[in-house]
Amino acid sequence: MIRYIRRAAAFCLVLLVALLVNAARVQVFEADALDNNPANRRLAIARYHQPRGAIVVGKESVTGSRDSGQQLRYERTYKNGPLYAPVTGYASQTYGTTFVENAEDGVLSGTSSLLSVFPLWNDVTRGRHSGGRAVTTIKASMQRAAYDGLGGKKGAVAAIEPATGKILALVSSPSYEPGVLSGTGRAVAGAWARLTSDPNQPMLNRAIRGTYPPGSAFKIVTAAAALDAGAVTDVDAATDTPDPYVLPNTSTTLPNEASGCGNASLAYAVNVSCNTVMAQLGVKVGLRGMLDAVRKFGFNDTKLRIPSGVAKSNFDTRMSPDQLALSSIGQFDTTATPLQMAMVSAAVANGGDLKYPYLVDRTTTSRGSTVSTTVPRTYQRAMNPATAMRLQQMMVDVVRTGTGTSAAIPGATVGGKTGTAQNGIGNIGSPYAWFISWAQADGAVRPAVAVAVVVEDASAKRGDISGGGDAAPIAKAVMEAALADKP
Amino acid sequence: MTAPSAADASPPELGLPKRRGVELSLLIGAVLVVVLGYVNVGLARTGTIPHDATRYGAGLGLLALLSHLVVRFRAPYADPLLLPIAMLLNGLGLVLIYRLDLATPGSRAAPAQLVWSTLGVGLFLVVVLVLRDHRVLQRYAYLSMAAALVLMLVPILFPPINGAKIWIRAAGYSFQPAELAKILLALFFAAYLAANRNALAYTGRRIWRLQLPTGRVLGPIVAIWLLSVGVLVLERDLGTSLLFFGLFVVMLYVATGRTGWIAVGLLLASAGAAAVALFEPHVHARVTDWLNPYATIEAGLGPSQLAQSLFAFAAGGTLGAGLGLGHSVLIGFAAKSDFILATAGEELGLSGLTAIFLLYALLVARGYRAGLCLQSPFGRLLAIGLASILALQVFVIAGGVTGLIPLTGMAMPFMAQGGSSVVTNWIIVALLIRISDSARRPLPAVEPGVIARPEPVEGTAR
């Protein structure tokens, strides 16, 4: 009997070993796959178990967190949600995250390994870091000025510090309250349905994701190409351009809104915005030269990130000469984001050295020690310094005597360029009024700000005057805020 | 044992130490671990030490002390590991249930479980006090068999709860009589096999290589077994059915040593299991769920209970999330009873789970050890049977919730929510204490002049 008892005991031992081996299988070897199973709620529970880190503008947080008491405990809240929505994006328990909420999610949610001093020790203790902070480059006064300037009209504003690439304002209008998407449930789903089906597209971040034909504002790029390529050597010399100009290989004539454009110099053409001169210069530079020039400003770049992805600004790579002529005055298939046009203005203001634009200045832990810092770096040299100086002078003249006089600011040097782009097939859509500009306080070493404003407005009149009329005052308000903000 | 004087030179190997001091210190350790766990849960969940921690600790300590004293005076040679392990497992279960109560404020289970545990310890004391010698039980073999049958039949008269007719409900309390029936069945099997094992092993017909006993001897036992299993299948309690069958096979093997029977038994069992799995929808669902726990996820219906249980174990990893910091409530229904181990797995990790398994293994091993030390076949078989009940029950439910075998609804001994289970397990421990006391008690001193001790006369039918 004793032998049989021993065998029965051995059988029990086999059962024990089977249990232990199986437990090790589930808890160690298959643990990762099970932990990351989409049906496993633990990831979401852990993610929302602590308040999400703050997104900071200036010294103040523009976000908050609310204890919902639900299983997914903390929900995102926003102070001035519509104002900062193009910067922060939303952080929803149902629909994911966008923009800075998305780009800095690891730091904000506390999962980033950068937050821990001893990563291994953290794995053992399973300690979770409280959410870190993302400090943006936005200046609150400029953001406010741009938002109020647009006043709910469809449009966008992007402002950059030319010397560094810091994005100082990023506004899209009409905007929305991202906080309504934070939680879960029927109310959130309803808000999502309402926002996504709204014909005004409030969730479209027009400043970096909206692409518009830049119209005459693009003439700065064409002028830079012509000067760099040597198509124009003296900005004050006559350019031998007929008025009206017949597009190459066609019988279509290109008119001017302005007068006195026949044989006008480049300086005059920029000043009053002559279509004919710039179209002919584009053709003279040629497709290859134009493509090279626009690429240096950031056109056709699909990988531009601030750190959220920026929509590609387009300049067609295969065109007939007549299409090239139209493209060179910012029509045909040429499109640009407001940020792209701010970069054009910034490149001119910074002597041709275009800095890479960025929105997140640094990330810190919840206690404020720095996790990472964005260092300003050159995006590309957009043009020769000499070309930049000439363009600066031309843009200054636009504000002093040309189409952009409404942007003039006493006590500061302001350069600008207006633009109006036709919209829709047969130009039935409302035109886009553009204004790109930069400002440098008298006595300052370098320009404080470069701005691009686009306003889509049915009341705008065709012609360059509307760019100066609708968009320039907004740009002026933003520049004034930037100049006042300087210490 | 006091050291014998040189005059009456008793053989020293008979003098097993009583080890009551060891038991007491282990008991203190068990109570401390449980109270620490209770405080830990409070700190993790609310950041404060539970206000009743001292009261709770004192109550538990009192129960432990009382049971220790009763064992010290009434079963002084009992195995010193049994009581501390039972106390530790029961206390740990209470902590886990209390922890789950905090996550489900609507339904609190810990207070009732505390009452049942106290009742269980009370019954433990009664059994150790009243039952002076386990051999007395041999007289009640047929009575216990009849009682077991009645206990198993009664729930058929009551409405089913969650698809299984295994509960009796009265005055708001529910009780699973099958839990108690398993002790009675083990008792009957032990008595009957002890009396008839020679007849079973050596008489009867030989067919090919199998020695089949005569129907007269085997008939009653197979009939009882068939009846009990049939009743359980009717009541749809597959886990208990599996347990009874395993118990029967193990005890039969230990009594007769006939491996051929085991083979036949296993063959019958697998045929029966296959048939039940095919034709009984309740069981069929359990088997398909076991084969692919994630089928409901793939079908877009969300995770099944078994998948949630596996998620919980996986979340625990090696070291666990920490007491009170897991999310095993996601399992939902039965998280405190059948799936209590998932909470242990998630919050204590593989290390904690291994410790718990080893505690059970130690409990079973001490039961087997007591069986080995005894002389009488009845005592041996009873000890093996009771220990095997624990071993099989732990395997069936732990294997079920970790996806090793199809899930069958059963209570994890001592830990799971469920009054009848806790009470029954305390009775099992009481019986093992009594048996191990007899096993380790030194034999009466041999009187000079007597050459051999007469063979102790065993039980009833021969």
Side-chain angles (χ1 to χ4, degrees), chain A residues 1-2 4-5 7-9 12 15-16 19-20 22-28 31 34-35 37 39-40 42 45 71 126, chain B residues 253-254 257 294 297 311-317 320 327 330 345-346 350 353 357 368 372 380-381 384 399 402 404:
Chain A
M1 206 166 177
I2 285 178
Y4 309 138
I5 292 177
R7 283 189 190 157
C12 290
L15 295 187
L16 172 71
L19 282 182
L20 287 177
N22 185 57
R25 170 184 74 92
V26 174
Q27 297 202 271
V28 177
L34 289 168
D35 285 343
N37 190 305
N40 194 342
R42 283 175 180 75
I45 290 173
Q71 191 183 47
R126 301 197 181 201
Chain B
Y253 173 74
V254 169
Y294 315 111
I297 298 173
F311 287 163
F313 279 105
H327 299 283
L330 290 171
E346 174 163 9
L350 181 61
L353 196 62
F357 282 153
Y368 270 69
L372 276 174
R380 271 187 180 168
L381 284 169
I384 301 303
T402 54
L404 181 63

Short mmCIF file of all heavy atoms in Angstrom, two decimals, chain A residues 1-2 4-5 7-9 12 15-16 19-20 22-28 31 34-35 37 39-40 42 45 71 126, chain B residues 253-254 257 294 297 311-317 320 327 330 345-346 350 353 357 368 372 380-381 384 399 402 404:
data_model
loop_
_atom_site.label_atom_id
_atom_site.label_comp_id
_atom_site.label_asym_id
_atom_site.label_seq_id
_atom_site.Cartn_x
_atom_site.Cartn_y
_atom_site.Cartn_z
N MET A 1 0.82 -1.21 0.00
CA MET A 1 0.00 0.00 0.00
C MET A 1 0.86 1.26 0.00
O MET A 1 0.53 2.24 -0.66
CB MET A 1 -0.88 -0.01 1.25
CG MET A 1 -2.16 0.79 1.08
SD MET A 1 -3.26 0.37 2.43
CE MET A 1 -4.61 1.44 2.13
N ILE A 2 1.99 1.18 0.72
CA ILE A 2 2.85 2.35 0.82
C ILE A 2 3.36 2.77 -0.55
O ILE A 2 3.40 3.95 -0.90
CB ILE A 2 4.01 2.07 1.79
CG1 ILE A 2 3.48 2.09 3.23
CG2 ILE A 2 5.14 3.08 1.62
CD1 ILE A 2 4.49 1.78 4.28
N TYR A 4 1.87 2.38 -3.35
CA TYR A 4 0.79 3.02 -4.12
C TYR A 4 0.53 4.43 -3.63
O TYR A 4 0.22 5.32 -4.42
CB TYR A 4 -0.48 2.17 -4.06
CG TYR A 4 -0.21 0.73 -4.42
CD1 TYR A 4 -0.79 -0.31 -3.70
CD2 TYR A 4 0.64 0.41 -5.48
CE1 TYR A 4 -0.54 -1.63 -4.02
CE2 TYR A 4 0.91 -0.90 -5.80
CZ TYR A 4 0.33 -1.93 -5.07
OH TYR A 4 0.59 -3.23 -5.39
N ILE A 5 0.66 4.60 -2.32
CA ILE A 5 0.49 5.96 -1.78
C ILE A 5 1.56 6.87 -2.36
O ILE A 5 1.30 8.00 -2.77
CB ILE A 5 0.57 5.95 -0.24
CG1 ILE A 5 -0.64 5.22 0.33
CG2 ILE A 5 0.63 7.37 0.30
CD1 ILE A 5 -0.63 5.09 1.83
N ARG A 7 3.06 6.56 -5.18
CA ARG A 7 2.74 6.84 -6.59
C ARG A 7 1.62 7.88 -6.71
O ARG A 7 1.67 8.76 -7.57
CB ARG A 7 2.34 5.56 -7.31
CG ARG A 7 3.55 4.72 -7.63
CD ARG A 7 3.18 3.57 -8.52
NE ARG A 7 4.28 2.63 -8.62
CZ ARG A 7 4.12 1.35 -8.95
NH1 ARG A 7 2.91 0.87 -9.18
NH2 ARG A 7 5.16 0.56 -9.04
N ALA A 8 0.62 7.75 -5.84
CA ALA A 8 -0.46 8.74 -5.86
C ALA A 8 0.08 10.13 -5.53
O ALA A 8 -0.30 11.13 -6.13
CB ALA A 8 -1.56 8.35 -4.88
N ALA A 9 1.03 10.16 -4.58
CA ALA A 9 1.66 11.44 -4.22
C ALA A 9 2.42 11.99 -5.42
O ALA A 9 2.38 13.20 -5.70
CB ALA A 9 2.58 11.26 -3.03
N CYS A 12 0.07 13.64 -7.70
CA CYS A 12 -0.27 15.00 -7.23
C CYS A 12 0.84 15.98 -7.56
O CYS A 12 0.58 17.13 -7.91
CB CYS A 12 -0.52 14.99 -5.72
SG CYS A 12 -2.03 14.14 -5.26
N LEU A 15 0.48 17.05 -11.06
CA LEU A 15 -0.57 18.08 -11.18
C LEU A 15 -0.02 19.44 -10.78
O LEU A 15 -0.27 20.46 -11.44
CB LEU A 15 -1.77 17.71 -10.30
CG LEU A 15 -2.56 16.46 -10.66
CD1 LEU A 15 -3.80 16.35 -9.79
CD2 LEU A 15 -2.94 16.46 -12.13
N LEU A 16 0.75 19.47 -9.69
CA LEU A 16 1.31 20.74 -9.21
C LEU A 16 2.24 21.34 -10.26
O LEU A 16 2.16 22.54 -10.57
CB LEU A 16 2.07 20.50 -7.90
CG LEU A 16 2.87 21.71 -7.40
CD1 LEU A 16 1.94 22.79 -6.91
CD2 LEU A 16 3.85 21.31 -6.30
N LEU A 19 0.33 22.83 -13.09
CA LEU A 19 -0.24 24.13 -12.74
C LEU A 19 0.82 25.22 -12.79
O LEU A 19 0.59 26.31 -13.31
CB LEU A 19 -0.84 24.08 -11.33
CG LEU A 19 -2.21 23.42 -11.17
CD1 LEU A 19 -2.65 23.50 -9.72
CD2 LEU A 19 -3.23 24.09 -12.06
N LEU A 20 2.00 24.93 -12.25
CA LEU A 20 3.05 25.95 -12.20
C LEU A 20 3.55 26.30 -13.60
O LEU A 20 3.73 27.48 -13.92
CB LEU A 20 4.21 25.46 -11.32
CG LEU A 20 3.91 25.43 -9.83
CD1 LEU A 20 5.08 24.86 -9.06
CD2 LEU A 20 3.61 26.83 -9.32
N ASN A 22 1.95 25.97 -16.39
CA ASN A 22 0.91 26.70 -17.10
C ASN A 22 0.81 28.14 -16.61
O ASN A 22 0.62 29.07 -17.40
CB ASN A 22 -0.43 25.98 -16.92
CG ASN A 22 -1.51 26.61 -17.74
OD1 ASN A 22 -1.38 26.71 -18.95
ND2 ASN A 22 -2.55 27.09 -17.10
N ALA A 23 0.95 28.33 -15.30
CA ALA A 23 0.91 29.70 -14.75
C ALA A 23 2.05 30.52 -15.33
O ALA A 23 1.87 31.69 -15.70
CB ALA A 23 0.98 29.66 -13.24
N ALA A 24 3.23 29.91 -15.43
CA ALA A 24 4.37 30.63 -16.01
C ALA A 24 4.10 30.96 -17.48
O ALA A 24 4.44 32.05 -17.95
CB ALA A 24 5.63 29.79 -15.88
N ARG A 25 3.46 30.04 -18.19
CA ARG A 25 3.12 30.30 -19.60
C ARG A 25 2.26 31.56 -19.70
O ARG A 25 2.56 32.48 -20.47
CB ARG A 25 2.35 29.11 -20.18
CG ARG A 25 1.74 29.37 -21.54
CD ARG A 25 0.90 28.17 -21.99
NE ARG A 25 -0.36 28.03 -21.28
CZ ARG A 25 -1.52 28.56 -21.69
NH1 ARG A 25 -1.56 29.27 -22.78
NH2 ARG A 25 -2.63 28.39 -20.99
N VAL A 26 1.19 31.62 -18.89
CA VAL A 26 0.27 32.75 -19.00
C VAL A 26 0.91 34.03 -18.48
O VAL A 26 0.81 35.08 -19.10
CB VAL A 26 -1.03 32.45 -18.22
CG1 VAL A 26 -1.94 33.67 -18.19
CG2 VAL A 26 -1.74 31.26 -18.82
N GLN A 27 1.60 33.93 -17.33
CA GLN A 27 2.04 35.15 -16.65
C GLN A 27 3.36 35.69 -17.16
O GLN A 27 3.66 36.87 -16.95
CB GLN A 27 2.13 34.90 -15.15
CG GLN A 27 0.79 34.55 -14.56
CD GLN A 27 0.74 34.81 -13.08
OE1 GLN A 27 1.07 33.95 -12.30
NE2 GLN A 27 0.35 36.01 -12.70
N VAL A 28 4.16 34.85 -17.79
CA VAL A 28 5.46 35.32 -18.24
C VAL A 28 5.55 35.31 -19.76
O VAL A 28 5.78 36.33 -20.40
CB VAL A 28 6.59 34.48 -17.62
CG1 VAL A 28 7.94 34.94 -18.15
CG2 VAL A 28 6.55 34.58 -16.10
N ALA A 31 2.44 36.89 -21.52
CA ALA A 31 1.94 38.08 -20.81
C ALA A 31 1.88 39.30 -21.73
O ALA A 31 0.89 40.04 -21.74
CB ALA A 31 2.81 38.35 -19.59
N LEU A 34 -1.00 39.21 -24.16
CA LEU A 34 -2.27 39.39 -23.47
C LEU A 34 -2.44 40.82 -22.98
O LEU A 34 -3.52 41.39 -23.05
CB LEU A 34 -2.38 38.41 -22.30
CG LEU A 34 -2.57 36.95 -22.69
CD1 LEU A 34 -2.38 36.03 -21.49
CD2 LEU A 34 -3.95 36.73 -23.28
N ASP A 35 -1.33 41.40 -22.48
CA ASP A 35 -1.41 42.79 -21.99
C ASP A 35 -1.80 43.74 -23.12
O ASP A 35 -2.46 44.74 -22.90
CB ASP A 35 -0.06 43.22 -21.42
CG ASP A 35 0.20 42.59 -20.06
OD1 ASP A 35 -0.79 42.12 -19.46
OD2 ASP A 35 1.35 42.57 -19.61
N ASN A 37 -3.53 42.94 -25.81
CA ASN A 37 -4.74 42.58 -26.54
C ASN A 37 -5.70 43.76 -26.53
O ASN A 37 -5.95 44.37 -25.50
CB ASN A 37 -5.40 41.37 -25.84
CG ASN A 37 -6.52 40.78 -26.65
OD1 ASN A 37 -7.45 41.49 -27.03
ND2 ASN A 37 -6.43 39.51 -26.93
N ALA A 39 -8.74 43.96 -26.54
CA ALA A 39 -9.93 43.79 -25.70
C ALA A 39 -9.61 43.95 -24.22
O ALA A 39 -10.50 43.97 -23.39
CB ALA A 39 -10.56 42.43 -25.95
N ASN A 40 -8.32 44.04 -23.89
CA ASN A 40 -7.91 44.17 -22.49
C ASN A 40 -8.00 45.63 -22.08
O ASN A 40 -7.28 46.47 -22.61
CB ASN A 40 -6.49 43.64 -22.33
CG ASN A 40 -6.10 43.41 -20.90
OD1 ASN A 40 -6.75 43.94 -19.99
ND2 ASN A 40 -5.07 42.63 -20.68
N ARG A 42 -7.06 47.08 -19.45
CA ARG A 42 -6.09 47.57 -18.47
C ARG A 42 -5.23 48.71 -19.00
O ARG A 42 -4.90 49.64 -18.26
CB ARG A 42 -5.21 46.42 -17.99
CG ARG A 42 -5.93 45.53 -16.99
CD ARG A 42 -5.11 44.34 -16.62
NE ARG A 42 -5.82 43.52 -15.66
CZ ARG A 42 -6.83 42.74 -15.99
NH1 ARG A 42 -7.25 42.69 -17.24
NH2 ARG A 42 -7.46 42.03 -15.07
N ILE A 45 -7.27 51.79 -18.78
CA ILE A 45 -7.50 52.16 -17.38
C ILE A 45 -6.25 52.81 -16.81
O ILE A 45 -6.30 53.85 -16.15
CB ILE A 45 -7.90 50.92 -16.57
CG1 ILE A 45 -9.29 50.46 -16.97
CG2 ILE A 45 -7.85 51.23 -15.08
CD1 ILE A 45 -9.70 49.15 -16.35
N GLN A 71 -14.65 54.41 -14.85
CA GLN A 71 -13.55 53.44 -14.90
C GLN A 71 -12.31 54.08 -15.55
O GLN A 71 -11.20 53.92 -15.06
CB GLN A 71 -13.98 52.22 -15.70
CG GLN A 71 -13.03 51.06 -15.59
CD GLN A 71 -13.48 49.91 -16.46
OE1 GLN A 71 -13.82 50.08 -17.61
NE2 GLN A 71 -13.50 48.72 -15.89
N ARG A 126 6.64 49.06 -11.08
CA ARG A 126 5.45 49.43 -11.85
C ARG A 126 4.98 50.84 -11.50
O ARG A 126 3.81 51.16 -11.61
CB ARG A 126 4.29 48.47 -11.62
CG ARG A 126 4.65 47.06 -12.01
CD ARG A 126 3.39 46.27 -12.15
NE ARG A 126 3.73 44.90 -12.50
CZ ARG A 126 2.90 44.08 -13.07
NH1 ARG A 126 1.68 44.45 -13.34
NH2 ARG A 126 3.25 42.86 -13.37
N TYR B 253 -7.00 2.92 -6.41
CA TYR B 253 -5.63 2.54 -6.76
C TYR B 253 -4.79 2.33 -5.51
O TYR B 253 -4.08 1.33 -5.38
CB TYR B 253 -5.00 3.61 -7.65
CG TYR B 253 -3.54 3.36 -7.91
CD1 TYR B 253 -3.15 2.34 -8.78
CD2 TYR B 253 -2.55 4.09 -7.26
CE1 TYR B 253 -1.82 2.07 -9.00
CE2 TYR B 253 -1.22 3.82 -7.48
CZ TYR B 253 -0.85 2.82 -8.34
OH TYR B 253 0.48 2.54 -8.57
N VAL B 254 -4.90 3.24 -4.57
CA VAL B 254 -4.10 3.13 -3.35
C VAL B 254 -4.50 1.86 -2.59
O VAL B 254 -3.65 1.18 -2.03
CB VAL B 254 -4.29 4.39 -2.48
CG1 VAL B 254 -3.69 4.18 -1.10
CG2 VAL B 254 -3.65 5.58 -3.16
N GLY B 257 -3.85 -1.20 -5.76
CA GLY B 257 -2.64 -1.19 -6.55
C GLY B 257 -2.81 -1.74 -7.95
O GLY B 257 -1.84 -2.10 -8.61
N TYR B 294 -10.34 33.38 -26.91
CA TYR B 294 -10.46 34.71 -27.50
C TYR B 294 -11.47 34.76 -28.64
O TYR B 294 -11.53 35.73 -29.38
CB TYR B 294 -9.10 35.20 -27.97
CG TYR B 294 -8.03 34.94 -26.95
CD1 TYR B 294 -7.03 33.99 -27.17
CD2 TYR B 294 -8.05 35.60 -25.73
CE1 TYR B 294 -6.08 33.72 -26.20
CE2 TYR B 294 -7.11 35.34 -24.77
CZ TYR B 294 -6.12 34.40 -25.00
OH TYR B 294 -5.19 34.15 -24.03
N ILE B 297 -13.74 37.66 -28.62
CA ILE B 297 -13.09 38.92 -29.00
C ILE B 297 -13.04 39.03 -30.52
O ILE B 297 -13.33 40.08 -31.10
CB ILE B 297 -11.67 38.98 -28.41
CG1 ILE B 297 -11.74 38.96 -26.89
CG2 ILE B 297 -10.93 40.21 -28.91
CD1 ILE B 297 -10.40 38.85 -26.21
N PHE B 311 -6.26 37.62 -18.96
CA PHE B 311 -5.73 38.99 -18.95
C PHE B 311 -5.23 39.35 -17.56
O PHE B 311 -4.18 39.97 -17.41
CB PHE B 311 -6.81 39.99 -19.36
CG PHE B 311 -7.17 39.95 -20.83
CD1 PHE B 311 -8.35 40.53 -21.28
CD2 PHE B 311 -6.33 39.38 -21.74
CE1 PHE B 311 -8.69 40.50 -22.61
CE2 PHE B 311 -6.65 39.34 -23.09
CZ PHE B 311 -7.83 39.91 -23.51
N ALA B 312 -6.03 38.96 -16.55
CA ALA B 312 -5.67 39.30 -15.18
C ALA B 312 -4.36 38.62 -14.80
O ALA B 312 -3.46 39.26 -14.25
CB ALA B 312 -6.79 38.89 -14.22
N PHE B 313 -4.25 37.33 -15.10
CA PHE B 313 -3.00 36.62 -14.77
C PHE B 313 -1.82 37.27 -15.49
O PHE B 313 -0.75 37.47 -14.91
CB PHE B 313 -3.11 35.15 -15.16
CG PHE B 313 -3.84 34.32 -14.15
CD1 PHE B 313 -5.13 33.88 -14.38
CD2 PHE B 313 -3.23 33.98 -12.95
CE1 PHE B 313 -5.80 33.13 -13.45
CE2 PHE B 313 -3.90 33.22 -12.01
CZ PHE B 313 -5.19 32.80 -12.25
N ALA B 314 -2.02 37.58 -16.78
CA ALA B 314 -0.93 38.17 -17.56
C ALA B 314 -0.52 39.52 -16.98
O ALA B 314 0.66 39.86 -16.93
CB ALA B 314 -1.34 38.32 -19.02
N ALA B 315 -1.52 40.30 -16.54
CA ALA B 315 -1.22 41.62 -15.99
C ALA B 315 -0.35 41.50 -14.74
O ALA B 315 0.39 42.41 -14.40
CB ALA B 315 -2.51 42.37 -15.68
N GLY B 316 -0.48 40.37 -14.05
CA GLY B 316 0.32 40.18 -12.85
C GLY B 316 1.80 40.01 -13.14
O GLY B 316 2.65 40.50 -12.41
N GLY B 317 2.10 39.31 -14.23
CA GLY B 317 3.50 39.10 -14.56
C GLY B 317 4.22 38.32 -13.48
O GLY B 317 3.63 37.49 -12.79
N GLY B 320 3.71 40.78 -9.89
CA GLY B 320 2.37 41.23 -9.53
C GLY B 320 2.21 42.73 -9.51
O GLY B 320 3.18 43.47 -9.44
N HIS B 327 -6.87 44.95 -11.62
CA HIS B 327 -8.20 45.23 -12.16
C HIS B 327 -8.95 43.94 -12.46
O HIS B 327 -9.60 43.81 -13.49
CB HIS B 327 -8.09 46.08 -13.42
CG HIS B 327 -7.45 47.40 -13.16
ND1 HIS B 327 -8.13 48.44 -12.56
CD2 HIS B 327 -6.21 47.85 -13.37
CE1 HIS B 327 -7.33 49.47 -12.43
NE2 HIS B 327 -6.15 49.14 -12.91
N LEU B 330 -12.71 43.25 -13.62
CA LEU B 330 -13.17 43.20 -15.00
C LEU B 330 -13.74 41.83 -15.34
O LEU B 330 -14.51 41.68 -16.28
CB LEU B 330 -12.02 43.51 -15.95
CG LEU B 330 -11.51 44.95 -15.94
CD1 LEU B 330 -10.23 45.06 -16.73
CD2 LEU B 330 -12.56 45.87 -16.50
N GLY B 345 -3.36 36.08 -8.80
CA GLY B 345 -2.37 36.05 -9.88
C GLY B 345 -2.01 37.44 -10.35
O GLY B 345 -0.85 37.73 -10.65
N GLU B 346 -3.02 38.34 -10.44
CA GLU B 346 -2.73 39.68 -10.94
C GLU B 346 -2.00 40.52 -9.90
O GLU B 346 -1.08 41.26 -10.24
CB GLU B 346 -4.03 40.38 -11.34
CG GLU B 346 -3.79 41.84 -11.73
CD GLU B 346 -4.92 42.46 -12.51
OE1 GLU B 346 -5.98 41.83 -12.61
OE2 GLU B 346 -4.73 43.57 -13.02
N LEU B 350 3.31 35.88 -10.47
CA LEU B 350 3.65 34.46 -10.54
C LEU B 350 4.30 34.01 -9.24
O LEU B 350 4.08 32.90 -8.77
CB LEU B 350 4.60 34.20 -11.72
CG LEU B 350 5.03 32.76 -11.92
CD1 LEU B 350 3.83 31.88 -12.18
CD2 LEU B 350 6.01 32.65 -13.06
N LEU B 353 1.55 33.51 -6.72
CA LEU B 353 0.74 32.37 -7.12
C LEU B 353 1.47 31.07 -6.83
O LEU B 353 0.88 30.10 -6.33
CB LEU B 353 0.42 32.48 -8.61
CG LEU B 353 -0.71 31.62 -9.14
CD1 LEU B 353 -2.01 32.00 -8.47
CD2 LEU B 353 -0.83 31.76 -10.64
N PHE B 357 0.26 27.99 -4.52
CA PHE B 357 0.23 26.59 -4.97
C PHE B 357 1.06 25.71 -4.03
O PHE B 357 0.67 24.60 -3.70
CB PHE B 357 0.76 26.48 -6.39
CG PHE B 357 -0.23 26.91 -7.44
CD1 PHE B 357 0.20 27.40 -8.65
CD2 PHE B 357 -1.60 26.81 -7.21
CE1 PHE B 357 -0.71 27.79 -9.63
CE2 PHE B 357 -2.50 27.20 -8.17
CZ PHE B 357 -2.06 27.69 -9.38
N TYR B 368 -0.80 13.24 3.02
CA TYR B 368 -0.23 11.98 2.54
C TYR B 368 0.75 11.41 3.56
O TYR B 368 0.79 10.21 3.80
CB TYR B 368 0.47 12.21 1.20
CG TYR B 368 -0.44 12.02 0.01
CD1 TYR B 368 -1.46 12.91 -0.25
CD2 TYR B 368 -0.28 10.93 -0.84
CE1 TYR B 368 -2.30 12.74 -1.33
CE2 TYR B 368 -1.11 10.74 -1.92
CZ TYR B 368 -2.13 11.65 -2.17
OH TYR B 368 -2.95 11.48 -3.24
N LEU B 372 0.80 7.81 5.32
CA LEU B 372 1.93 6.87 5.26
C LEU B 372 2.32 6.37 6.64
O LEU B 372 2.72 5.22 6.80
CB LEU B 372 3.14 7.57 4.61
CG LEU B 372 3.19 7.58 3.08
CD1 LEU B 372 4.35 8.43 2.61
CD2 LEU B 372 3.33 6.16 2.55
N ARG B 380 -5.31 5.21 6.73
CA ARG B 380 -4.51 5.56 5.56
C ARG B 380 -5.39 6.07 4.42
O ARG B 380 -5.16 7.13 3.87
CB ARG B 380 -3.78 4.31 5.07
CG ARG B 380 -2.47 4.13 5.72
CD ARG B 380 -1.75 3.00 5.05
NE ARG B 380 -0.48 2.84 5.70
CZ ARG B 380 0.31 1.81 5.53
NH1 ARG B 380 -0.07 0.82 4.75
NH2 ARG B 380 1.47 1.74 6.15
N LEU B 381 -6.39 5.26 4.10
CA LEU B 381 -7.25 5.61 2.96
C LEU B 381 -7.99 6.90 3.21
O LEU B 381 -8.16 7.73 2.31
CB LEU B 381 -8.22 4.47 2.68
CG LEU B 381 -7.57 3.27 1.99
CD1 LEU B 381 -8.51 2.08 1.98
CD2 LEU B 381 -7.17 3.64 0.57
N ILE B 384 -5.49 9.76 2.73
CA ILE B 384 -5.21 9.93 1.30
C ILE B 384 -6.41 10.55 0.59
O ILE B 384 -6.27 11.46 -0.23
CB ILE B 384 -4.86 8.56 0.65
CG1 ILE B 384 -3.67 7.92 1.33
CG2 ILE B 384 -4.61 8.74 -0.85
CD1 ILE B 384 -2.44 8.74 1.35
N GLY B 399 -6.54 24.98 -12.67
CA GLY B 399 -6.30 24.68 -14.08
C GLY B 399 -7.36 25.31 -14.96
O GLY B 399 -7.08 25.75 -16.07
N THR B 402 -6.77 29.21 -15.33
CA THR B 402 -5.55 29.58 -16.05
C THR B 402 -5.54 28.98 -17.45
O THR B 402 -4.53 29.07 -18.15
CB THR B 402 -4.29 29.12 -15.30
OG1 THR B 402 -4.41 27.73 -15.04
CG2 THR B 402 -4.10 29.85 -14.01
N LEU B 404 -5.70 25.80 -18.42
CA LEU B 404 -5.03 24.51 -18.61
C LEU B 404 -6.05 23.44 -18.99
O LEU B 404 -5.77 22.59 -19.83
CB LEU B 404 -4.29 24.14 -17.32
CG LEU B 404 -3.50 22.84 -17.32
CD1 LEU B 404 -2.39 22.89 -18.35
CD2 LEU B 404 -2.90 22.58 -15.94
#
